[in-house]
Structures are given as structure tokens and as C-alpha cells.
Amino acid sequence: MNSTLVFFSFFLISLFCLSALAETSQASDGSTILFTTMGSSTFEFDIFTLPTSRRPPSPSDEHRLTDGKSINFNGHLASPSPALISLLPNTSGVQPQDKTLLHLIYVTERDGAPTLHYDVVHSDNKGTNVQVPLLSEQQSGMSVNSMKDTPVLTNEHLVYVSTHENSGKPMASWAAVYSTELRTKATQRLTPPGIADFSPAVSPSGKWTAVASYGEKGWSIVSKELSTDIYVFLTGDGTQRVKVVELGGWPRWTDESTLYFHRKSDDGWISVYRAVLPKTGPVSTKTVTVTRVTPSGIHAFTPATSPNNNDFIAVATRRPESEIRHVELFDLKKNEFVELTRLVSPKSHHFNPFLSPDSSRVGYHSCRGDRTNPHNLLQRLKTTPEDLSLFRFDGAFPSLSPEGDRFAFVTFTGVFVVNQDGSGLRQILPQVGFGTVWDPVQRGIVYTSSDPSLNFTAPGLVGTHKINILAVNVDARNPSSAVKKLTTGGQNNAFPWPSPDGKRIVFRSDRSGTKNLYIMDAEKGEAGGLFRLTNGNWNDTIATWSPDNNWIVFASNREYIGTLLMDLYVVHPDGTGLRKVAQNLTGGVSMHPMFSPDSKRIVFTTTYAGISAEPIGNPKFNVASSEIFTVNLDGSDFMRLTHNSVEDGPPLWFPKIKATGDVAWPKRFGASCAFEDFKSQNTTVKMNKRSLMCPSQ
């Protein structure tokens, strides 16, 4: 490990209050999976708007359109069609001709997974807003936990992305474009089977839809950033599909034959381009005229347009002297940028601009860090299996004590324990730990792996980090004697997991030159001797023991030595019976496996479902995403549990916890808006601590 100690995201490299608490009675039968979504608790996005005519704008010109609850993003200002108005309650009193009202359709995570809402908002922030959820879970064929994204209203139909249908292929995205008639709720898929589409845009007449897509070649873990193409098809039924631009993303129409999109230029700058489709004759990449619009020297991307507006577009930018993503206008007549959000909130990131139909307003989402309400320790997500509860946890590597009363978890400021209701928060280690797990027999013992030099809150980081397995007595009266080091050899000993009887610990270590699995005595540690469980010039990591003591499951790149590609394997604790869990995971990144309480299934993170959105629309877009899946021990019955455009991190599976709904922190814990934007060869950006969760494989 070098002096910088670079870490990657959870799956890539893993070394990495009003409560809705149930009654105090015993928890019912079933089980619970806890997991972390990378950066989710810090996003706190809301949708804002500015007038496009006020140049320069002032902070008083900006209005917050969403209600400050949950995460709200990827908005669309719609013309109030009769079908849209019909969704409002009769008591709303909304008049379609009222020009002071904004009709906002957007993505929100207030139900756990990204869903769509429709709000009628007063543009002057006065009066009461009206809010209507769209595409309710009762809709036929919709998975209760699928992701909905990038909505666009066209006449009577809502066009959007959904991930509710299995692509049928390993390592392939489930994202597809659908159209739902708002009155009847009749829905049809516009994307061909086996293809993934992102970022739909509908032409002003509603006739054509443009999307970013990898087409038949599909997405792969080695796909370069910004490598989609642009396709156009009929909005009515998805037919007459044709590729119009190679290497382009985030298409947006100004008229029936003109699209704006972004791509990475040969000079390294991400720029906005214009594509003009022929009005007669065949349409193809050879007949479409493509022109660069924004100049080099500034990254400009995720363009926004409005019907028949040839004066300006809106774009997100990254200027070379800045680490912040801002929204600007680009004057198409003068060929110059017009700054907006930097003049209003200079230190906040602003994402994915959109324009009102009359071009008078530009919207975007941003995190301002000004919310006063506590965020959730636990956020309940809906699941199909009735005996399984699924919770997003505000912290990495969450683990449940055997008594079911406390959680242990990791943040960038150390290792903590907390009661199930969010009370009793205590730091048990002042530095980052990799993994947490409770001893199944000895009360109050938490195992992790760390080193004092990994205290990122202290000045002067030590250059070399020797990570060791630690046993922490969280109830020790004397803190100086609470931590016991169990390993001494090697530079990188991580991810301990005790046997069901608490007598042994499996962990991974680089003591042989590559990372393999070892077993040691839980009390004596390495001093009591080591049993080498795996042996090879590959990386084996993140091993967990089955509750019935028959198996150890782990991740390994043994079929792809020297790469980040990881598969899941099981082996008996005596080293026999080694086998791959599932063949259809081959070629992706599958990590963080853990057995169900009955030892029959395994939960894990994987890139099996590819990506669910154009990554550039998210913070730190060059980090690929992973989702939570379960699989039977014999490799059968794959089940997807999470649908997200960002990374869902290490899952852990326990007997059912007491919580039946969201559990809020009694008071705010952790930072808000603690994320940074992407790195680029043309910008200098500090390391994002949100990516410092895992030591190298």
C-alpha cells in the first residue's frame, strides 16, 4: 500500500426523532437484510428553479420546489395537459390556465426506491403545493422495488425509465423506456427486448423519442465513460428505431429534427453537440449532421432544451478552476456561457438542468445542507417476500448483535455502536474499520480490521498502513484495554468473520504475497496458529461463515487474475468442497457475500444488472454501480432486491429486527452533502472521502 492509500467503491475493491419502531413485543418470524447506499444519506437533494431572464441572478431569485423530504431529483416541468390535471384530487382547486403554477414531475426516494411524483407548485413559493404519487406499486407488472427515472410528459402519456423487467442476460442493464397513458394506466415497453435505454427525451410534437443506449453491444464492466450512442424511435410504439449518433448521451430535442447531446471530445473535454436529422430521406449516422456547440476549456454536459428555443440551452458545467458542478446557460447566438448557480450557491453542486416549456425557468437538483430534520438511521424498502424485511442503513458494514439490541457500523470518523432505536450512539474505534461483526457467544465483542493510522480526522496521515484484525470490547469500562489485536504478520489482514460457535475466525491476508483466506483461534489470534484455507496467486476476500457451520462463502478473482472481476465461491471450513456458487455471475463483479440465517441462501452485491442510468447524471459518475441480490446455495433462484442508479454497498443478513418502518436518528448524525464530483484528466479534484471505504483487494 503506497503513501496515498487509495480506496475504491464498495464493490470494486473491498477492503472496504420520531421512530417507526415496532411494539416492544418479540419480533415475528422472518429475517432482515441491512445494506448501505453509497453516499445516499448525504445527498439530501431538492429541486430548485431560477428565472432564465434574470442575469445575473441573485439568491432571492431561486425557489425550492420540493418539500425537503427524502431525496428529490431529475425533475421535468410539464405543460398541464388534461390527462395530467385529471390526476389531481377534486379538492385541489388547480386551474390549468394559472400561469403562477408550475407542474413538476420528478424522482423521489421517499418510499425507499426511486419513484415518480407530480407536484403542483406555486412559482413564488406561496400557497399550498399539491402532491400526487405516480405509477403506484399496484400497477400491473411493476416490481414493488424497481427504479423509475427521467420522466417526460407528452400529451396524455408519461415516458420514463424503469428497471422492473429482468433483461434475461447476465451483466446487462434492466433499464428500459416505457410509456404509460395517465388516465387508463395502460403501459407499454418502447425499448426492444434485451436492450437497455437511458435518458429519454420526447420531441415537441410527441412523435419521436430519443434515448442514450449501448444498443445490441450492451454495457460491460469495462465500458468507457460516456460510451452510449443515441437512438430515435416512434413514441407511440417504439418502432422505426434507428441509431442517429455514435458516442453520445443525454439527448434533448428543440424541434422535430434537432437534438442536443453530450460526448467526450477528442481534446478530452466533455462538450455539448448538435445533431440535425434530415427532414426527408433515410435517417442514419451517415445522414445526420453533427456539430460541436460548446468550446473546449469547460466541461459542459447533460444539456437541457425547450421547444423551438434556438437562443439558449442549459447545461451542467465543470470549469477547470472549480471542483463544483454548476448549471449555466449557453447562448447559442453569442456562443458564450452565462453563469447561474455559482452566483446563487457557489459551494453547492447542481445537477441535471431542465427548462420549462416556455423557456422562462431552469430547474435542477442540489444539496444545500440546510435541512434541520434528522435523517434516517434505517429506511425501510418494500420487498416481495413477506418474510424478508429490507433496510437501508446510515453507515457502512452494519451488523446486528446476537441479542438483537445493537448495531455496529463504520463511518469515515470511526467504528460505532448504536441501539436499534437510534439511541446510545458511541464510538468504539476512532479510525476507519473494514467490516464489523459481533462475536456470536461473547457479549459485546465486535470484530473489525483497522489501524490507528487510518484516523482520517487526525492531521498528518501515516504513509504506510498495516491493517490488522481487532477484537473490540464495546462494554469495557477501561477504553485502553478494550481493543485486542489478533494478527501480527502481513500488511493487510481484513474482514474477520467468526465461526458460529465463536471459537475460530476466518479472514483474508496478504502474508503470502497475494490475498488468501486463513483461519485462526478467536481468543489467541494468530499466536494460536493459522490454518490456510485457500492458496493461490489470486485474491480471495470477504469471507463469511454459514450459521450451520458447513460452509464459508467468499469472493475471488481466481478466474480473472490481476483484474477486478470477482465471483462467489464456497468451501468447507476444512478446505474441501470448493466450488463456484453460480456460473451466470462470471464476468462481473460480485462481492460481499453473507449467508441467510437458515444457511440456505446468500446475499451479495453484484454488477449482474449492469447500470440503471447514465452515470454522468450522478455525483462521481465514473464509479460503476452494484445492486443487492440473493441466490440459493446451489446457485439457483436469483432475486434482485435493490434498484438504484448509484452503488448499493455491503449487505448483511440477520434474524428479523424489531423495526417495522423508518427509524430516524434522535438528532442529526454525520455530514450532509459530503460528496464531490467526478475526477477528470482536465480538472484537479481532491480525493472524495466517500470513496475511502475499502482497502485494495
Side-chain angles (χ1 to χ4, degrees):
M1 304 179 74
N2 58 33
S3 60
T4 308
L5 187 63
V6 177
F7 299 90
F8 293 84
S9 66
F10 290 137
F11 88 88
L12 283 177
I13 304 181
S14 286
L15 294 185
F16 200 39
C17 154
L18 293 176
S19 276
L21 202 62
E23 296 81 9
T24 57
S25 59
Q26 292 295 316
S28 61
D29 292 339
S31 59
T32 296
I33 292 175
L34 306 176
F35 72 97
T36 302
T37 296
M38 183 178 174
S40 176
S41 64
T42 74
F43 287 171
E44 295 189 356
F45 288 133
D46 272 306
I47 295 176
F48 298 79
T49 182
L50 278 170
T52 57
S53 59
R54 198 73 58 86
R55 306 179 187 180
S58 66
S60 62
D61 294 323
E62 185 184 64
H63 296 304
R64 188 190 306 249
L65 299 184
T66 47
D67 57 12
K69 298 177 181 178
S70 186
I71 302 171
N72 308 297
F73 57 101
N74 286 356
H76 166 68
L77 286 172
S79 296
S81 68
L84 186 64
I85 296 298
S86 71
L87 302 179
L88 298 173
N90 294 331
T91 56
S92 67
V94 171
Q95 300 298 320
Q97 65 272 18
D98 188 342
K99 301 300 183 183
T100 67
L101 299 179
L102 299 176
H103 297 262
L104 176 68
I105 302 173
Y106 62 100
V107 185
T108 182
E109 293 192 5
R110 61 195 65 209
D111 297 319
T115 56
L116 302 182
H117 273 223
Y118 163 41
D119 288 10
V120 180
V121 184
H122 292 260
S123 59
D124 56 4
N125 278 8
K126 297 179 181 179
T128 302
N129 297 342
V130 182
Q131 187 176 90
V132 178
L134 301 175
L135 305 177
S136 64
E137 67 185 34
Q138 287 77 22
Q139 186 172 334
S140 176
M142 295 290 181
S143 169
V144 299
N145 205 21
S146 62
M147 168 185 156
K148 307 296 186 292
D149 196 20
T150 50
V152 183
L153 181 70
T154 171
N155 302 320
E156 306 293 295
H157 292 78
L158 185 67
V159 176
Y160 56 94
V161 169
S162 179
T163 60
H164 67 272
E165 287 187 304
N166 190 332
S167 67
K169 297 188 294 185
M171 312 306 153
S173 173
W174 295 18
V177 173
Y178 296 81
S179 174
T180 296
E181 207 284 321
L182 291 178
R183 295 181 189 270
T184 66
K185 303 299 187 291
T187 297
Q188 63 175 331
R189 178 178 174 130
L190 302 180
T191 301
I195 302 295
D197 287 340
F198 313 99
S199 311
V202 180
S203 66
S205 71
K207 180 178 181 179
W208 299 102
T209 293
V211 295
S213 179
Y214 291 101
E216 293 185 357
K217 69 178 182 288
W219 172 87
S220 85
I221 191 68
V222 296
S223 293
K224 295 181 180 179
E225 61 187 29
L226 303 178
S227 58
T228 56
D229 301 321
I230 294 176
Y231 291 77
V232 170
F233 50 79
L234 287 175
T235 306
D237 56 11
T239 61
Q240 299 187 32
R241 182 183 177 100
V242 61
K243 183 194 294 187
V244 296
V245 172
E246 291 185 344
L247 293 181
W250 213 272
R252 296 295 182 263
W253 301 88
T254 54
D255 56 47
E256 296 303 298
S257 60
T258 305
L259 285 166
Y260 287 83
F261 64 94
H262 63 224
R263 70 158 52 137
K264 193 167 187 177
S265 305
D266 292 339
D267 56 19
W269 295 97
I270 305 172
S271 300
V272 173
Y273 287 73
R274 180 191 299 113
V276 179
L277 284 60
K279 295 181 180 179
T280 60
V283 177
S284 70
T285 56
K286 294 181 180 180
T287 62
V288 172
T289 302
V290 175
T291 307
R292 186 172 183 172
V293 174
T294 59
S296 61
I298 297 177
H299 289 302
F301 45 95
T302 59
T305 60
S306 51
N308 303 307
N309 177 1
N310 296 310
D311 295 327
F312 62 86
I313 59 175
V315 295
T317 63
R318 278 288 302 279
R319 291 177 174 262
E321 71 278 5
S322 174
E323 300 175 2
I324 304 297
R325 185 185 302 206
H326 279 298
V327 169
E328 307 186 31
L329 300 182
F330 186 79
D331 191 315
L332 297 171
K333 305 296 186 183
K334 298 179 180 180
N335 290 323
E336 62 184 22
F337 288 96
V338 179
E339 290 193 275
L340 294 179
T341 59
R342 189 188 67 81
L343 306 177
V344 172
S345 184
K347 296 183 180 180
S348 301
H349 292 287
H350 302 79
F351 296 87
N352 305 354
F354 54 96
L355 288 170
S356 60
D358 63 0
S359 307
S360 66
R361 306 194 73 85
V362 60
Y364 44 84
H365 60 267
S366 180
C367 182
R368 296 298 171 79
D370 56 0
R371 295 187 185 177
T372 57
N373 56 302
H375 52 250
N376 289 324
L377 166 66
L378 294 168
Q379 183 183 25
R380 176 75 181 266
L381 277 73
K382 298 172 183 177
T383 57
T384 301
E386 294 183 358
D387 62 343
L388 176 66
S389 61
L390 180 66
F391 286 89
R392 179 179 287 118
F393 191 94
D394 186 21
F397 303 109
S399 62
L400 179 68
S401 65
E403 299 79 18
D405 58 345
R406 292 181 288 184
F407 299 114
F409 65 98
V410 174
T411 76
F412 289 100
T413 59
V415 182
F416 294 81
V417 293
V418 66
N419 296 330
Q420 273 209 41
D421 64 356
S423 65
L425 178 69
R426 289 189 297 117
Q427 186 185 69
I428 62 171
L429 206 63
Q431 67 265 7
V432 170
F434 303 114
T436 70
V437 59
W438 297 76
D439 188 292
V441 177
Q442 298 184 75
R443 179 175 174 82
I445 302 298
V446 171
Y447 298 105
T448 187
S449 48
S450 188
D451 183 83
S453 63
L454 297 178
N455 187 341
F456 293 113
T457 63
L461 291 180
V462 177
T464 301
H465 307 271
K466 184 175 181 178
I467 300 174
N468 280 297
I469 307 300
L470 306 177
V472 183
N473 185 344
V474 303
D475 298 320
R477 294 184 177 181
N478 184 358
S480 63
S481 62
V483 180
K484 180 180 179 180
K485 186 167 69 172
L486 298 179
T487 53
T488 56
Q491 292 291 318
N492 199 318
N493 306 290
F495 295 109
W497 199 271
S499 59
D501 60 8
K503 294 181 179 180
R504 295 174 292 171
I505 292 175
V506 62
F507 66 103
R508 76 97 201 274
S509 177
D510 70 347
R511 62 190 62 230
S512 66
T514 56
K515 297 179 179 69
N516 290 157
L517 302 181
Y518 296 80
I519 295 176
M520 64 181 173
D521 184 271
E523 182 64 30
K524 299 178 182 178
E526 186 177 334
L530 292 176
F531 170 68
R532 186 167 185 171
L533 185 63
T534 63
N535 190 343
N537 62 337
W538 48 71
N539 288 342
D540 298 330
T541 188
I542 314 179
T544 63
W545 223 299
S546 65
D548 64 8
N549 200 33
N550 285 330
W551 296 99
I552 290 172
V553 62
F554 62 97
S556 177
N557 70 347
R558 57 182 59 209
E559 289 191 20
Y560 300 92
I561 297 173
T563 75
L564 299 177
L565 302 180
M566 307 287 281
D567 289 325
L568 302 184
Y569 295 82
V570 290
V571 65
H572 293 305
D574 63 2
T576 64
L578 177 71
R579 64 174 174 83
K580 186 187 289 189
V581 172
Q583 291 297 327
N584 54 357
L585 291 176
T586 301
V589 181
S590 298
M591 299 280 280
H592 301 287
M594 182 181 173
F595 280 96
S596 59
D598 63 6
S599 301
K600 294 180 179 180
R601 291 182 64 79
I602 296 167
V603 65
F604 59 102
T605 64
T606 182
T607 58
Y608 180 86
I611 60 174
S612 297
E614 281 195 76
I616 196 171
N618 295 320
K620 203 168 179 60
F621 78 90
N622 50 1
V623 175
S625 62
S626 61
E627 305 287 354
I628 310 298
F629 276 70
T630 62
V631 65
N632 287 338
L633 179 58
D634 63 5
S636 64
D637 192 19
F638 265 59
M639 180 180 293
R640 182 175 181 176
L641 295 183
T642 63
H643 297 247
N644 216 320
S645 64
V646 293
E647 187 179 353
D648 288 328
L652 290 100
W653 205 336
F654 304 102
K656 198 163 190 176
I657 65 174
K658 296 177 181 179
T660 59
D662 295 350
V663 176
W665 286 104
K667 61 180 181 180
R668 291 189 68 84
F669 173 72
S672 297
C673 311
F675 56 88
E676 294 178 356
D677 206 8
F678 64 89
K679 295 182 180 181
S680 168
Q681 64 187 44
N682 294 322
T683 52
T684 302
V685 184
K686 297 178 182 178
M687 179 177 289
N688 175 6
K689 284 190 176 181
R690 273 287 158 186
S691 67
L692 298 180
M693 286 309 298
C694 305
S696 52
Q697 291 180 11

